[in-house]
Amino acid sequence: METFAVQPRDMTCRTLLYAPHHAFRRDLDRLTAAAAAGKGRASHVRAGWENLKEQIRLHQELEDGWLWPRVERAVAGRRAERAVLEEVRADHARLAPLIARVDEAMGGAAGRDAAGAGDLSAAVRELREALERYLLHEERSALPLAESVLAGAEWRALAAEAQGRCEAGTPLFVPWVVDGIGPVERSRFLTALPKPLRELNRVMWEPRYRKRRLWSI
């Protein structure tokens, strides 16, 4: 897998695009554990899964609808770089049917055969493996490529686009990202946010998020 030199860019890339990757992995690991314990259909697990699906959808929409088209224009005529973007789009497309299989498997005992991968544990495992391939591809090639070809103004425009698309979900996105991460990573992510958002997260968003008890079994 080809990699690209990373140039110093606005923290937008790290905040909006890299940080959720840990949360995707964390939540699928939680779903894996819940399924193995026979608790995959518990109400708080279902709530965690619904939030995870929404976060994946928002992440992909921002990348496919805004980021990758601009990177593609920047690398026009460069076959290796364009091939990386084509692979990323293919990775995205592979996730949709796997997410649907997990949905069906979580529908109850009758959903096991419809899941297409056997039981819930098998469906989650298949999704987890595909998601890991997709995230590694982004981290090792696609996002470094984007950082190397887009200017700071474009990253600031991406931040504005993300805010417009996700403003209603920000009170959930921020505490979701920092849920369970280490103190260094938590500090790095929160420091990249405007101070008013950090304060809102501290006094309002995180307490509300904890009360939802996502993934509790």
Side-chain angles (χ1 to χ4, degrees), residues 100-121:
R101 289 180 187 177
V102 175
D103 265 336
E104 291 185 64
M106 293 185 76
R112 290 194 174 190
D113 293 337
D119 59 10
L120 177 59
S121 291

Side-chain angles (χ1 to χ4, degrees), residues 2 7 9 14 20 28 50 70 84 119 132 143 146 168 189:
E2 191 168 357
Q7 301 297 326
R9 294 301 183 199
R14 301 275 168 185
L28 273 179
E50 291 300 320
R70 284 159 176 78
V84 167
D119 59 10
E132 184 64 24
L143 291 176
F189 175 78

Side-chain angles (χ1 to χ4, degrees), residues 32 34-35 89 106 114 121 123 128 133 141 144 159 164 173 182 190 208 215 217:
T32 297
R89 291 193 175 100
M106 293 185 76
S121 291
R128 180 66 173 83
R133 288 193 297 270
S141 294
F173 174 76
L190 292 176
R208 287 180 179 175
W215 304 108
I217 57 176

Side-chain angles (χ1 to χ4, degrees), residues 110-186:
R112 290 194 174 190
D113 293 337
D119 59 10
L120 177 59
S121 291
V124 173
R125 182 170 60 251
E126 190 174 1
L127 174 59
R128 180 66 173 83
E129 291 170 356
L131 182 76
E132 184 64 24
R133 288 193 297 270
Y134 148 62
L135 295 178
L136 287 175
H137 186 204
E138 282 203 346
E139 292 163 358
R140 294 173 178 175
S141 294
L143 291 176
L145 171 60
E147 288 183 284
S148 72
V149 300
L150 297 183
E154 290 172 296
W155 289 111
R156 289 189 289 275
L158 173 64
E161 177 70 15
Q163 182 176 353
R165 288 173 182 243
C166 310
E167 192 165 12
T170 302
L172 184 58
F173 174 76
V174 175
W176 170 75
V177 166
V178 299
D179 180 12
I181 67 175
V184 174
E185 292 79 7
R186 175 188 173 89

Side-chain angles (χ1 to χ4, degrees), residues 44 204-214 216:
H44 292 298
M204 185 181 302
W205 296 347
E206 277 204 72
R208 287 180 179 175
Y209 178 87
R210 293 192 197 101
K211 287 181 180 178
R212 294 185 65 183
R213 298 178 56 225
L214 299 182
S216 298

Side-chain angles (χ1 to χ4, degrees), residues 66-84:
W66 201 100
L67 179 63
W68 304 137
R70 284 159 176 78
V71 176
E72 194 165 31
R73 287 196 292 270
V75 300
R78 293 156 59 179
R79 291 171 56 185
E81 286 86 343
R82 289 177 64 88
V84 167

